[in-house]
Amino acid sequence: MALSKGESDEFKEYTEKKALFCIARAHWIQLFKVNMQQTIIAQTFINIAESYPHLKPYWTFMNTSRPFDTVDMDDLCDSESLDEDIRKVVESGTLQDSFNYININTKVSNDHKFGNHIATVQAAITIIMDNVDDYKGLIKIIREFGSYHFFYEAFEPHFYLFHTQFMIVLKSLLKDTLEEVDDKIEDSWNALFDELTNNMSYGVALQRHCYLKTAFTLDDMMVVEDDWYKIEQYGFNKMGDLIYDKMLVKYVMLIKSTNFDVPVSIENEYEKFLVISHKLVYALQTTIKNYSYEDGFADLPEQVIEFTNNYTSVTSYPMLFRKAFCDALISALTVIIGNDSMKESKIHIWGKLYRILEQAIMTNIANV
């Protein structure tokens, strides 16, 4: 039976993709043979941490800028067990082949969490490589990986960032080695990462949509609406000021507790915090009004586009900024509603509502 033109084009596209994926797989297998897989992944995350320090809070092992330290070359040269060929490489500074390169660039983990994370990413890439011959199965796996990342606070821009940094590391670390990245290998990795980023983005977006639609129950909404009446009595502007005061303290505490540098432009950020603190109250009001029994908050992203622009104006450690605002909201509610009434269950409900608002914001950011 002859294929239709549409089916024929789709088959041709798949054939071309598969050929590229197989090249990337062969390269990945070769990197395993020369023990470079974990080194490349580790250096990718190190590059991300150093180039985008505001992303460090996403990983507990990034409390310092370099979770890996390079082995001291002087110590290596003094070692009696050092291979003579490697000694020549160290002394001459010339990279002769991959084996020597790997040895003189060995990384030592200072944090087992970082090592575990690298091993997990390595295993995930290997699983993907094992399934490149089954395109439908491959897409299913990648989308599942994307949905998992929702629970790690990752979203679409992070996948593109990893792709970019991975390729930079791949080309720089393998330069002048037997595994050097040529045009064909680069095209194959880019093709694979295009498939990865597109389908992981689909997976995380789908999980986010499901969360917006199903995370809140009618019982949750009844609790929130009952508390909201007290907030209206207290006054939105007063609540905004209260959130701002609580948020500033929490934000600075979080920065210091994670050993990050206080942003140079922190005073400019304070002005943004004040605006956001007041607009947050109105955004929460919009969120509550947008709830429906059938669709939950599925339509919320469209209603908070303006607030998204304010919220994303803060560029200094947005992860800490988000946590500080969530904690400040709970603290402000405790003042307004009363400490005795602010039980653990109520804290959970309001924290969930704030996360729903955050996910609506992330949807808008991803769709820009």
Side-chain angles (χ1 to χ4, degrees), residues 27 30 96-99 174-180 185:
H27 192 238
Q30 184 61 23
Q96 297 174 350
D97 58 37
S98 294
F99 179 77
L174 300 179
K175 186 177 181 181
D176 298 326
T177 70
L178 298 177
E179 288 71 44
E180 185 171 18
I185 293 175

Side-chain angles (χ1 to χ4, degrees), residues 52 76 188 311 329 357:
Y52 306 93
L76 279 177
S188 69
Y311 196 82
L329 172 63
L357 176 57

Side-chain angles (χ1 to χ4, degrees), residues 79-132:
S79 174
E80 295 180 359
S81 62
L82 188 64
D83 186 276
E84 183 61 29
D85 289 336
I86 300 175
R87 189 187 303 279
K88 291 179 181 178
V89 174
V90 173
E91 292 173 352
S92 66
T94 304
L95 302 180
Q96 297 174 350
D97 58 37
S98 294
F99 179 77
N100 293 341
Y101 178 83
I102 294 160
N103 277 276
I104 67 170
N105 287 276
T106 302
K107 302 290 184 179
V108 179
S109 176
N110 289 330
D111 191 329
H112 71 279
K113 292 181 181 178
F114 186 69
N116 291 342
H117 186 72
I118 299 311
T120 300
V121 175
Q122 180 188 25
I125 295 176
T126 301
I127 290 172
I128 289 168
M129 295 300 187
D130 289 342
N131 285 273
V132 296

Side-chain angles (χ1 to χ4, degrees), residues 269 272-273 276 307-316 321:
E269 299 287 67
K272 298 175 185 177
F273 293 163
I276 296 171
F307 181 66
T308 299
N309 296 332
N310 293 113
Y311 196 82
T312 54
S313 65
V314 176
T315 56
S316 301
F321 157 78

Side-chain angles (χ1 to χ4, degrees), residues 96-278:
Q96 297 174 350
D97 58 37
S98 294
F99 179 77
N100 293 341
Y101 178 83
I102 294 160
N103 277 276
I104 67 170
N105 287 276
T106 302
K107 302 290 184 179
V108 179
S109 176
N110 289 330
D111 191 329
H112 71 279
K113 292 181 181 178
F114 186 69
N116 291 342
H117 186 72
I118 299 311
T120 300
V121 175
Q122 180 188 25
I125 295 176
T126 301
I127 290 172
I128 289 168
M129 295 300 187
D130 289 342
N131 285 273
V132 296
D133 294 318
D134 176 14
Y135 187 65
K136 288 185 177 180
L138 175 66
I139 299 306
K140 182 176 183 292
I141 289 172
I142 296 174
R143 289 180 176 180
E144 287 178 354
F145 284 166
S147 68
Y148 299 157
H149 278 73
F150 169 82
F151 302 100
Y152 305 137
E153 300 293 341
F155 72 129
E156 291 86 334
H158 295 156
F159 306 145
Y160 293 96
L161 179 61
F162 184 85
H163 173 195
T164 301
Q165 294 300 320
F166 184 91
M167 293 306 299
I168 290 173
V169 170
L170 198 67
K171 289 188 283 188
S172 63
L173 287 189
L174 300 179
K175 186 177 181 181
D176 298 326
T177 70
L178 298 177
E179 288 71 44
E180 185 171 18
V181 178
D182 58 22
D183 291 343
K184 183 181 291 187
I185 293 175
E186 183 176 1
D187 289 343
S188 69
W189 275 107
N190 283 330
L192 182 62
F193 266 111
D194 285 344
E195 201 71 58
L196 281 171
T197 51
N198 289 338
N199 285 286
M200 286 188 71
S201 295
Y202 178 92
V204 76
L206 182 61
Q207 187 65 54
R208 187 169 56 234
H209 178 78
C210 291
Y211 183 82
L212 288 172
K213 191 170 182 177
T214 63
F216 232 58
T217 66
L218 278 176
D219 288 339
D220 292 338
M221 184 53 63
M222 290 173 63
V223 171
V224 167
E225 287 183 338
D226 183 54
D227 291 340
W228 196 254
Y229 174 75
K230 298 176 184 177
I231 293 171
E232 289 177 331
Q233 297 298 110
Y234 185 82
F236 286 0
N237 288 335
K238 286 177 63 179
M239 183 178 180
D241 289 336
L242 190 57
I243 291 174
Y244 174 69
D245 292 339
K246 302 285 186 182
M247 186 273 171
L248 282 186
V249 176
K250 186 64 179 179
Y251 182 67
V252 175
M253 286 176 59
L254 285 171
I255 291 177
K256 290 184 176 180
S257 68
T258 49
N259 297 320
F260 297 146
D261 295 329
V262 176
V264 176
S265 59
I266 190 69
E267 292 184 2
N268 294 331
E269 299 287 67
Y270 286 169
E271 296 177 6
K272 298 175 185 177
F273 293 163
L274 180 59
V275 173
I276 296 171
S277 296
H278 283 269

